[in-house]
Amino acid sequence: MAKPSDELIELCRAAVEAERVATSEPYTQEGWAAWMKAAETFQAAVTVEAAQEPKQSRLGLEQAAKKVVLYPEPVSE
């Protein structure tokens, strides 16, 4: 499985949070602008990071980052 960098995970978190904020209110172009920009930044970073490893799947990397953000491992005490 692909291993996303900490930076990529943080960009994914920012995009997910921007989506949460944008969709919590009625749609406006201005209201969704931050989400669109954060998503664009994340996608560009996925492309760059995937290109650094020749056998790395771009899709696998994106999915791995989203899995870390959307389905975090429980913290054991």
Side-chain angles (χ1 to χ4, degrees), residues 18-19 21-36:
E19 176 185 16
V21 170
T23 57
S24 69
E25 309 251 334
Y27 170 80
T28 64
Q29 189 172 8
E30 298 81 26
W32 282 33
W35 174 23
M36 297 295 104

Side-chain angles (χ1 to χ4, degrees), residues 29-77:
Q29 189 172 8
E30 298 81 26
W32 282 33
W35 174 23
M36 297 295 104
K37 181 63 179 165
E40 180 181 307
T41 301
F42 170 64
Q43 291 297 325
V46 170
T47 300
V48 168
E49 194 165 311
Q52 292 174 353
E53 181 73 35
K55 294 185 179 187
Q56 177 124 283
S57 161
R58 188 203 174 288
L59 176 61
L61 186 62
E62 179 181 350
Q63 289 175 335
K66 287 181 177 181
K67 181 179 178 186
V68 169
V69 172
L70 298 174
Y71 307 103
E73 295 289 322
V75 177
S76 47
E77 296 178 23

Side-chain angles (χ1 to χ4, degrees), residues 7-31:
E7 179 184 354
L8 193 61
I9 291 169
E10 287 306 312
L11 290 172
C12 184
R13 263 194 198 105
V16 168
E17 177 60 17
E19 176 185 16
R20 187 194 64 75
V21 170
T23 57
S24 69
E25 309 251 334
Y27 170 80
T28 64
Q29 189 172 8
E30 298 81 26

